[in-house]
Amino acid sequence: MMLPCVKETEKMDDIDAIFSSLLGEMDNLSQSLMPAEVDPDSQTHSTFSIGFTDLNESLYELEDHDLDALVADLGSKSTSSDGRLPADQPTSSCAAASAMAREPAPAAARPRPSTSAESSEGLQMSKPQTKAEKIKLALEKLKEAKVRKLIVKVLMSDGSSKTLMVDERQTVREVLDKLFEKTHCDCSVDWSLCETNPELQIERGFEDHEHLVEPLSAWTRVSENKIYFVSKPQKYVMFTDPQLFYMWKKKKACLSGINEQAKQLLLKEHFGGSTLIVPDLEGKLYLKEDGKKLWKPLYFMLRASGIYYVPKGKTKAVSDLVCFLHFEKVNIYTTNNYKQKYRAPTNFCFMLKHPCIQKESHYIKLLCCDDEHTLLLWVNAIRIAKYGTVLFKNYQAAMKRASSSQPLHSAAHKDRYNSPKPDPAPPKTTNVEDYPHEPPPDFIPPPPPPPPGQTHV
């Protein structure tokens, strides 16, 4: 048998090392994308709750009218199924039992058909009355529902919370409208739904066109993530102050003098055409190296397709640029106190990652800015590049919603603070008739005696 030469042996060792490294990277990615603990039984259900440890508890937190609407909605879906199971419905004990019940029985064993009066009477008798019965019926219907539904606890800035039932067809805009009705707030365009991840110390505001169930489904069941209903004045700053992004090279004194007409011209030029114009933002950012707490300064440039950087010793020419990442499958998050956690140059950092990655991973990209204004520019310019004209449509819909509710709020405000005040009543004179329960005294008591050495005047 012939032994391989030394060069061939070294080549084989290199291939084995590369293959092992590739397997390790694939394992890290799979661990990042997989939930920490997944219950096999839970995968048979198409619904779970966010912010609760138990679905029964989640349903109990719903208001009575929301629970009634849920039961009615689920009942209509179950009756419209025409006695057939959907092809994509997972098999469970309840589904198997219902499938067996739908099989045609022998002629001798078939019950006689009931009349419409008997069926309506049976429905009235079986209609749930108490909240416990409604919850039990909702739990049964949820197992058969084809549309994914989540019970979401939304936290308010004052520490209170609202519990909502959200299905996969509802957008964030629709959930915001529902919260407006529950909280009676001013329906401003600044209101946002934000998710927080305490483990990664990050935060992201959901876009109005997103379907809320989709990003929440990426959360793990043991996650401590939360949803907040807060006002974010910087949510649509790219439309209220477009000069900050499309004239960022100008001096701040020049930008502050832009009038409203000039802002509208900028919006029409960059968002009103057939194609979106992305801000040509560029500058120095600090990149955190993988697996280290070192931050490397690089010159980054924003383009419609992604973020690029200039390698050391190269120029800003297009041929010299290196792609850092594309925006298709990543979301942008702001961070909290990364100067202490990762020894960042400043606390003005942002993260780019896949939404399914819920813990630390090599596939997370961290960038750090010098100041808060630079962070504002990069975060919102990336949102423009990622979502395009959809973001502008979200802003227009939010403005329309705010303007439609403005007369109601202004009228309420006027009635509360500008209503004519009644004239003050004249002061009453003290009279015996004003106190019918107190009879007048029969005599006037004498004055007290003066102190020793003094006499009355």
Side-chain angles (χ1 to χ4, degrees):
M1 181 177 65
M2 296 180 61
L3 296 176
C5 62
V6 177
K7 292 184 178 180
E8 292 179 353
T9 304
E10 293 177 354
K11 187 181 296 184
M12 292 174 63
D13 293 340
D14 293 340
I15 294 176
D16 291 339
I18 294 174
F19 185 69
S20 299
S21 177
L22 180 60
L23 289 178
E25 291 292 324
M26 293 176 63
D27 183 61
N28 290 335
L29 178 59
S30 62
Q31 290 180 1
S32 301
L33 296 178
M34 286 294 292
E37 294 181 9
V38 178
D39 186 6
D41 296 334
S42 64
Q43 294 181 347
T44 62
H45 301 288
S46 58
T47 304
F48 62 92
S49 59
I50 297 295
F52 294 91
T53 57
D54 182 38
L55 184 57
N56 197 353
E57 175 192 352
S58 306
L59 292 171
Y60 187 79
E61 288 289 334
L62 286 176
E63 298 179 5
D64 289 338
H65 63 276
D66 290 336
L67 186 58
D68 293 338
L70 171 64
V71 173
D73 185 29
L74 293 172
S76 63
K77 287 182 174 57
S78 62
T79 55
S80 62
S81 59
D82 294 334
R84 290 175 294 179
L85 282 174
D88 57 345
Q89 181 173 348
T91 302
S92 62
S93 59
C94 295
S98 60
M100 293 176 62
R102 293 188 182 99
E103 292 181 358
R110 292 178 187 172
R112 64 178 181 87
S114 59
T115 61
S116 59
E118 292 175 350
S119 60
S120 61
E121 182 180 356
L123 287 176
Q124 291 178 359
M125 292 179 62
S126 62
K127 185 177 180 181
Q129 301 296 331
T130 65
K131 190 165 188 177
E133 293 175 352
K134 294 178 182 179
I135 292 174
K136 183 179 179 180
L137 179 60
L139 288 172
E140 295 175 356
K141 296 296 183 182
L142 281 172
K143 295 177 182 179
E144 302 176 359
K146 293 187 291 184
V147 179
R148 285 188 302 169
K149 294 179 179 289
L150 301 183
I151 301 175
V152 183
K153 177 181 286 186
V154 183
L155 303 179
M156 307 292 165
S157 56
D158 60 355
S160 62
S161 63
K162 295 291 182 182
T163 305
L164 306 174
M165 173 67 74
V166 183
D167 66 47
E168 61 183 353
R169 300 163 298 182
Q170 290 180 311
T171 63
V172 173
R173 178 76 261 165
E174 294 172 331
V175 178
L176 286 174
D177 290 341
K178 188 182 295 186
L179 285 170
F180 291 157
E181 296 176 0
K182 289 182 174 292
T183 58
H184 306 287
C185 63
D186 57 359
C187 305
S188 168
V189 298
D190 298 335
W191 287 107
S192 305
L193 283 180
C194 299
E195 66 168 327
T196 60
N197 185 321
E199 182 174 350
L200 294 177
Q201 297 178 210
I202 57 175
E203 176 183 328
R204 179 178 83 94
F206 295 119
E207 303 297 345
D208 288 356
H209 66 273
E210 289 186 77
H211 291 85
L212 186 61
V213 170
E214 184 177 352
L216 297 187
S217 299
W219 293 8
T220 62
R221 292 183 178 274
V222 296
S223 152
E224 296 183 359
N225 295 8
K226 293 179 174 61
I227 302 178
Y228 286 89
F229 178 60
V230 293
S231 179
K232 292 282 187 180
Q234 300 175 354
K235 180 178 180 179
Y236 289 126
V237 65
M238 68 286 291
F239 306 121
T240 57
D241 295 306
Q243 73 278 6
L244 298 178
F245 301 90
Y246 293 98
M247 300 174 62
W248 62 274
K249 295 180 181 179
K250 301 286 186 180
K251 294 182 179 180
K252 292 184 178 181
C254 178
L255 296 179
S256 60
I258 298 294
N259 56 23
E260 191 63 30
Q261 183 179 2
K263 294 180 181 180
Q264 294 301 320
L265 289 175
L266 284 174
L267 291 178
K268 184 178 180 180
E269 178 183 357
H270 296 91
F271 294 94
S274 57
T275 58
L276 172 75
I277 301 178
V278 176
D280 58 343
L281 191 61
E282 60 182 58
K284 183 188 71 173
L285 298 175
Y286 300 92
L287 171 65
K288 182 182 178 298
E289 297 187 8
D290 295 338
K292 302 178 182 179
K293 290 189 177 181
L294 298 177
W295 297 77
K296 182 179 180 181
L298 290 173
Y299 197 88
F300 287 89
M301 305 181 72
L302 178 65
R303 297 294 180 263
S305 58
I307 301 179
Y308 296 78
Y309 68 91
V310 180
K312 187 177 181 180
K314 299 293 184 177
T315 64
K316 298 181 184 178
V318 177
S319 57
D320 290 337
L321 296 181
V322 176
C323 181
F324 178 63
L325 59 76
H326 296 288
F327 299 132
E328 287 83 2
K329 297 182 180 180
V330 297
N331 290 331
I332 184 167
Y333 303 79
T334 55
T335 65
N336 179 28
N337 199 18
Y338 269 29
K339 188 174 182 179
Q340 178 180 357
K341 182 175 182 178
Y342 290 120
R343 298 178 185 175
T346 68
N347 273 325
F348 307 110
C349 306
F350 63 92
M351 175 186 292
L352 295 160
K353 74 173 185 68
H354 193 282
C356 289
I357 299 177
Q358 295 292 312
K359 60 182 181 179
E360 293 189 14
S361 170
H362 293 297
Y363 298 94
I364 291 177
K365 302 300 181 183
L366 288 175
L367 294 170
C368 183
C369 306
D370 285 327
D371 50 54
E372 186 177 5
H373 179 70
T374 306
L375 176 65
L376 171 72
L377 294 182
W378 276 98
V379 169
N380 291 286
I382 290 174
R383 290 174 59 207
I384 295 174
K386 178 176 174 61
Y387 300 109
T389 55
V390 176
L391 208 62
F392 188 53
K393 293 178 180 178
N394 292 345
Y395 171 71
Q396 291 176 319
M399 288 292 293
K400 184 178 180 180
R401 178 68 171 85
S403 61
S404 63
S405 63
Q406 189 65 31
L408 299 177
H409 288 282
S410 60
H413 183 83
K414 182 178 180 180
D415 292 342
R416 182 177 180 182
Y417 296 102
N418 298 335
S419 56
K421 298 181 179 180
D423 296 333
K428 293 183 178 181
T429 57
T430 304
N431 197 343
V432 174
E433 297 179 356
D434 296 333
Y435 303 93
H437 301 289
E438 296 183 8
D442 296 334
F443 66 98
I444 299 177
Q454 296 185 6
T455 58
H456 284 293
V457 178

